[in-house]
Amino acid sequence: MMEEEILQLLRDHPSTFLSGEEMSRRLKVSRTAIWKRIRHLRSLGYQIEASTRSGYRLIHSPDLLTPSEVKPLLKTKWMGKVIHYFNSLDSTNSKAYDLATHGAEEGEVVIAESQLKGRGRLGRKWFSPPYLTLNLSVILRPSIFPQQASLITLMAAVATAEAIEKCSGLQPLIKWPNDILLKDRKVAGLLNEIQSETDRIHFVILGIGVNLNIDERMFPKEIRSIATSLKRERGEAVLRKEFLRYLLEELERWYKVLLEEGGDAVLTAWRKRSQIKGKSVRVTSFGETLTGIAVDVDSSGSLILKTENGERKRVVAGDVEYTNKAPISKQ
Ligand code: BTN
């Protein structure tokens, strides 16, 4: 906490030195304590010039996702106003779930620079190496029925795709149910978890993982040919705190659209990005494999499939593989 305050003081005096004495007076701690914190901040990548006569001056800040780096950029009304920041966690979703169970409010977010047990859909692992990704979980408390919870996932997929586009100029597509792709490779994924009663949602944990600055060779072999990052696709690293800012802003905007205008507005935006309609697909769902043509995604987020024998099937969860990329017929 004191480090945040030291940074704030230094930021408030961008072009002048601030003496150790002045800082120790303002923060009511010894000069040695200030010096120790400055030394730690330097180890995190802050360039802080020190002059024996004049004091300290902040020269450069690293691209960390700490509240003190992110908050000055953030233009949201309520999303991300409380940031629970961790250098490392097992999973931001687990932490957010725990916080929400103990009363954390809508819009509070959990961020970890790395995850030791990052979770993906269907029990998979999520690769989250330090300082190269965004690992975010948002606590939401929407007044909608539990049956409509998948709309939150669709909304978050749209917001994530829009944030990627705003930050990089690239145009991601969404692959059902919620993979975000750039040139057919996965750049981001969503894992939403809810706690509810039959007719009331207590909270939703919106978990979003984005591969920002991972180089291709860093990905584990099993996913190297199917994963990508923003850095790889655009040819240069992104400023992670700027991406986070865009993402929180888009989430706030699209959540409002969902609550005020309803699911159709979100579905329209989702469909534009998904391009799944008319595609020939193979879907694996609960151990069963279905093939057919994707007709649409309904208002509950389920995939409507026309199977080879002409039957219509509603698929609630699963994995999709495109077996023929061109649209086959109009449905
Ligand atoms: C998937 O595509 O399988 C979903 C991946 C979701 C990963 C994110 S990273 C932040 C949050 N914490 C987790 O443990 N998982 C989600």
Side-chain angles (χ1 to χ4, degrees):
M1 195 59 208
M2 202 216 299
E3 284 172 11
E4 301 272 309
E5 287 167 329
I6 291 179
L7 284 170
Q8 199 47 55
L9 282 178
L10 292 172
R11 283 201 192 96
D12 290 345
H13 300 81
S15 48
T16 51
F17 282 90
L18 198 61
S19 73
E21 199 180 322
E22 174 76 7
M23 283 204 255
S24 77
R25 201 173 48 75
R26 293 219 202 168
L27 301 181
K28 300 186 177 59
V29 291
S30 69
R31 284 174 66 175
T32 320
I34 298 281
W35 165 240
K36 280 191 182 150
R37 299 298 169 147
I38 297 257
R39 205 170 49 187
H40 183 239
L41 285 169
R42 281 181 173 156
S43 76
L44 297 176
Y46 286 91
Q47 282 175 27
I48 300 169
E49 192 181 344
S51 139
T52 14
R53 273 196 304 144
S54 325
Y56 303 101
R57 191 162 65 115
L58 181 62
I59 308 279
H60 171 79
S61 300
D63 189 16
L64 293 175
L65 301 177
T66 52
S68 78
E69 289 301 322
V70 173
K71 281 192 178 171
L73 304 176
L74 210 55
K75 302 219 164 34
T76 55
K77 289 201 181 74
W78 55 273
M79 179 77 75
K81 289 290 174 190
V82 175
I83 298 177
H84 302 271
Y85 171 85
F86 299 86
N87 198 40
S88 171
L89 276 179
D90 277 352
S91 155
T92 54
N93 263 30
S94 308
K95 186 71 191 180
Y97 201 97
D98 193 39
L99 288 166
T101 308
H102 291 94
E105 288 182 12
E106 173 150 274
E108 293 191 23
V109 304
V110 177
I111 292 170
E113 296 290 4
S114 71
Q115 297 182 113
L116 303 172
K117 294 182 189 157
R119 289 187 275 123
R121 284 176 56 240
L122 309 171
R124 295 184 188 125
K125 287 186 198 149
W126 183 256
F127 180 57
S128 329
Y131 307 114
L132 300 172
T133 55
L134 173 65
N135 310 300
L136 170 76
S137 297
V138 180
I139 297 166
L140 295 176
R141 297 183 181 274
S143 304
I144 59 172
F145 293 113
Q147 299 82 329
Q148 298 172 299
S150 355
L151 284 171
I152 300 274
T153 314
L154 301 184
M155 174 290 286
V158 171
T160 306
E162 301 265 309
I164 290 176
E165 184 161 342
K166 287 219 161 111
C167 181
S168 66
L170 301 165
Q171 295 188 328
L173 292 180
I174 302 171
K175 183 171 163 209
W176 186 87
N178 47 33
D179 289 352
I180 313 292
L181 307 185
L182 281 172
K183 296 207 193 122
D184 285 343
R185 287 169 179 237
K186 183 156 165 175
V187 68
L190 277 73
L191 176 69
N192 295 342
E193 297 172 297
I194 74 169
Q195 195 198 70
S196 70
E197 302 165 26
T198 318
D199 52 6
R200 189 171 72 95
I201 290 180
H202 298 162
F203 58 78
V204 177
I205 303 300
L206 201 54
I208 306 178
V210 190
N211 301 331
L212 293 174
N213 293 330
I214 304 182
D215 288 323
E216 185 168 15
R217 64 191 154 73
M218 289 176 185
F219 283 112
K221 273 208 191 81
E222 323 79 85
I223 58 168
R224 199 169 291 159
S225 61
I226 53 169
T228 193
S229 69
L230 272 183
K231 181 181 178 194
R232 179 177 185 270
E233 299 305 329
R234 101 194 245 267
E236 64 177 312
V238 293
L239 209 54
R240 295 182 315 138
K241 54 189 163 195
E242 198 169 285
F243 178 78
L244 175 60
R245 175 209 140 180
Y246 282 121
L247 181 56
L248 293 173
E249 284 170 16
E250 289 303 315
L251 284 170
E252 184 174 283
R253 181 163 85 86
W254 282 98
Y255 187 55
K256 187 165 185 262
V257 169
L258 175 62
L259 298 186
E260 289 180 4
E261 295 171 36
D264 282 352
V266 169
L267 264 173
T268 306
W270 191 94
R271 285 190 184 110
K272 267 194 204 141
R273 292 244 181 218
S274 96
Q275 298 186 352
I276 197 170
K277 219 171 165 174
K279 277 195 179 148
S280 203
V281 293
R282 182 181 302 117
V283 188
T284 320
S285 175
F286 301 108
E288 195 191 353
T289 304
L290 298 164
T291 50
I293 291 168
V295 179
D296 204 356
V297 166
D298 70 13
S299 57
S300 67
S302 301
L303 178 68
I304 310 297
L305 196 70
K306 191 172 169 191
T307 60
E308 276 149 352
N309 56 17
E311 251 182 286
R312 273 186 176 234
K313 290 232 171 185
R314 195 168 155 260
V315 190
V316 181
D319 265 333
V320 159
E321 242 178 285
Y322 297 140
T323 48
N324 173 354
K325 298 225 166 109
I328 296 182
S329 64
K330 280 212 161 123
Q331 294 301 309

